[in-house]
Amino acid sequence: MKVKVVTNILKANTRIAEENRRVLHERGITTINLMSSPGAGKTTLLARTIRDLGARIRFGVIEGDIQGTHDAEVIAALDVPVIQINTAGGCHLDANMVQSVLPELPLEAIDLLVIENVGNLVCPAEFDLGEDAKVMLLSITEGDDKPLKYPRMFRECEALLVNKVDLAPHLDVSLEKIRGDSLGLNPALQVFEVSARTGQGLEAWHAWLEKKCASSLGRG
Amino acid sequence: MKVKVVTNILKANTRIAEENRRVLHERGITTINLMSSPGAGKTTLLARTIRDLGARIRFGVIEGDIQGTHDAEVIAALDVPVIQINTAGGCHLDANMVQSVLPELPLEAIDLLVIENVGNLVCPAEFDLGEDAKVMLLSITEGDDKPLKYPRMFRECEALLVNKVDLAPHLDVSLEKIRGDSLGLNPALQVFEVSARTGQGLEAWHAWLEKKCASSLGRG
């Protein structure tokens, strides 16, 4: 008997992520996987982005949290379809969790699906959910040493929003070091310095997002 | 043959953690497992605590990071014995990692061993390292919704340092909500509102730490 050798079998999460990606593209949906440490401002950024771009892009949102519905309620108040996934202790979303809730969303009425991951700068970076792009926030209050300490997240993402820059005068932090170390890890990274609270710097992020919506679906 | 039924076998991590605890107590060492989100200020707090209490307590430190030696270098500059564990992507320290590095520390010259865990508000809470007490930091820049979103960490800890309170005038955050929700999850939690940068509120933390050192070793 000859031994059969089978290589390149996808792991379960990767296979389900590719199914998600196919389903979402068939519906004409661009998907963003939004990640950060706890409290870096994902929900505040997302709510602001929806208010600013909601007239041109139809949003849908999946909120990932260990427990509770706080963030989903913030989004629901903007009249955007939203589903809350509670991981019950789990430290990241995976592709199967996303697949399980897709039937609950009105996919025919969504252009851009934003999946807000569990607040965690480590584990979520390892799991493909079926997104078109991974995007991360880093709050400047976390310090300028974070790119070199959490390199995988910075390498996996296409865009980095350096958030809470309105607090820079009150902190000992170098925006230049954050930018330089991030680009050192990932030279193709798009870096936006923003304040989701004041709106500072969001125009470039909006432009990137609109372009991403068009190009990921071949309409760019 | 009668079937033997064996229950209550400890998981590997728990068994090794108990070995660590026994070894450390035999040496007269009190151990703190210090946890938080990335950038909440663990290293700044620890360096300040060492400077403030170093004349009365002999410190030793284990630094946990995904990669790099930034934090260990900060501690080493204070002439305190320190070992850096790099988890190479791992999102938390475990008891075996700690056991592996204990022989590298001068245990006979340490009263208080502080293990600074990987910056992560989720996974580290699940792993006993052999410590006498789990202690967490929450930076107020992370927002006042964190206790209800990350309940396990708040339930596992004996003490919570609410850090960066010097930034409160620049933030939309309620210290009362943080305190109230934290105590709702864990009524026995000791809550200290501090600024590791300015030194505000650290006296009560120092007093708690000194008492912990004495009582955990039966000297209280």
Side-chain angles (χ1 to χ4, degrees):
Chain A
M1 288 287 288
K2 216 178 155 189
V3 175
K4 284 187 188 174
V5 178
V6 183
T7 56
N8 292 325
I9 297 180
L10 295 176
K11 289 182 182 169
N13 187 74
T14 305
R15 182 181 66 75
I16 299 173
E18 299 210 340
E19 290 173 10
N20 290 347
R21 195 172 284 110
R22 180 182 54 74
V23 166
L24 291 163
H25 282 187
E26 281 175 3
R27 299 286 194 148
I29 297 171
T30 302
T31 303
I32 298 290
N33 179 2
L34 188 62
M35 299 180 285
S36 78
S37 296
K42 292 186 295 303
T43 309
T44 301
L45 173 85
L46 180 53
R48 179 116 193 182
T49 302
I50 289 170
R51 283 195 297 271
D52 291 344
L53 296 182
R56 296 204 293 282
I57 295 176
R58 297 174 300 167
F59 284 83
V61 174
I62 296 174
E63 287 289 343
D65 281 295
I66 291 172
Q67 71 171 41
T69 57
H70 176 277
D71 295 349
E73 287 163 18
V74 170
I75 301 303
L78 301 171
D79 273 333
V80 163
V82 56
I83 298 285
Q84 176 82 52
I85 297 176
N86 280 164
T87 64
C91 55
H92 61 272
L93 294 180
D94 67 26
N96 191 55
M97 296 177 194
V98 171
Q99 187 173 59
S100 302
V101 302
L102 285 181
E104 311 295 324
L105 284 168
L107 298 180
E108 68 288 352
I110 293 173
D111 302 313
L112 176 61
L113 176 64
V114 180
I115 306 173
E116 185 182 331
N117 219 310
V118 175
N120 183 333
L121 208 54
V122 189
C123 316
E126 298 179 32
F127 291 84
D128 185 0
L129 305 181
E131 69 275 348
D132 293 296
K134 291 182 166 74
V135 174
M136 69 171 292
L137 272 77
L138 178 73
S139 165
I140 63 167
T141 59
E142 296 174 54
D144 52 24
D145 56 342
K146 292 302 160 296
L148 297 184
K149 291 176 77 172
Y150 300 85
R152 180 160 185 172
M153 182 65 79
F154 290 80
R155 286 202 186 100
E156 293 278 345
C157 287
E158 287 187 34
L160 161 65
L161 292 115
V162 181
N163 193 24
K164 308 194 190 181
V165 295
D166 54 305
L167 295 174
H170 312 294
L171 302 171
D172 308 316
V173 68
S174 164
L175 293 176
E176 292 69 30
K177 180 167 166 55
I178 291 173
R179 178 181 285 272
D181 287 349
S182 300
L183 290 171
L185 290 164
N186 181 355
L189 189 69
Q190 294 288 315
V191 183
F192 305 104
E193 294 173 359
V194 305
S195 168
R197 186 167 65 161
T198 69
Q200 181 183 340
L202 289 178
E203 303 77 10
W205 156 246
H206 292 160
W208 183 89
L209 201 55
E210 288 198 274
K211 192 173 169 193
K212 191 82 205 164
C213 272
S215 65
S216 75
L217 300 170
R219 301 185 306 240
Chain B
M1 289 288 285
K2 215 177 158 190
V3 175
K4 284 188 189 172
V5 179
V6 182
T7 56
N8 292 325
I9 297 180
L10 295 176
K11 288 183 183 169
N13 186 75
T14 305
R15 182 180 66 74
I16 299 172
E18 298 209 340
E19 289 173 10
N20 291 347
R21 195 172 283 110
R22 182 182 53 74
V23 166
L24 291 162
H25 281 186
E26 281 175 3
R27 297 288 194 148
I29 297 171
T30 301
T31 303
I32 298 290
N33 178 2
L34 188 61
M35 301 181 284
S36 78
S37 295
K42 292 185 294 303
T43 309
T44 301
L45 173 85
L46 179 54
R48 177 117 195 180
T49 301
I50 289 170
R51 283 196 298 272
D52 291 345
L53 296 183
R56 296 204 292 282
I57 296 176
R58 296 174 302 166
F59 283 83
V61 174
I62 296 174
E63 286 288 343
D65 281 296
I66 291 172
Q67 70 172 43
T69 57
H70 176 279
D71 295 349
E73 287 163 17
V74 170
I75 301 302
L78 301 171
D79 273 333
V80 163
V82 56
I83 299 287
Q84 176 83 52
I85 297 175
N86 279 164
T87 64
C91 55
H92 61 273
L93 295 181
D94 68 27
N96 190 55
M97 296 178 194
V98 171
Q99 186 173 61
S100 302
V101 302
L102 285 181
E104 309 296 323
L105 285 168
L107 298 181
E108 67 289 353
I110 293 174
D111 302 313
L112 176 61
L113 176 64
V114 180
I115 305 172
E116 185 181 331
N117 220 309
V118 176
N120 183 332
L121 208 54
V122 188
C123 316
E126 298 179 31
F127 291 84
D128 185 358
L129 304 181
E131 69 276 347
D132 293 296
K134 291 183 167 74
V135 173
M136 69 171 292
L137 272 77
L138 178 74
S139 165
I140 63 167
T141 60
E142 296 174 54
D144 52 24
D145 56 343
K146 293 300 162 293
L148 297 184
K149 291 175 78 173
Y150 299 86
R152 180 159 185 173
M153 182 67 78
F154 289 80
R155 286 201 186 100
E156 294 279 344
C157 287
E158 287 187 32
L160 160 65
L161 292 115
V162 181
N163 193 24
K164 308 193 189 181
V165 294
D166 55 305
L167 295 174
H170 312 294
L171 302 171
D172 308 315
V173 68
S174 165
L175 293 176
E176 292 69 30
K177 179 169 167 54
I178 292 173
R179 177 182 286 271
D181 287 349
S182 299
L183 290 172
L185 291 165
N186 182 354
L189 190 68
Q190 293 288 315
V191 183
F192 305 103
E193 294 174 1
V194 306
S195 167
R197 186 167 68 161
T198 70
Q200 180 184 339
L202 289 178
E203 303 78 10
W205 157 245
H206 292 161
W208 183 88
L209 201 56
E210 289 197 274
K211 192 173 169 195
K212 191 81 205 165
C213 273
S215 65
S216 75
L217 299 171
R219 301 186 306 242

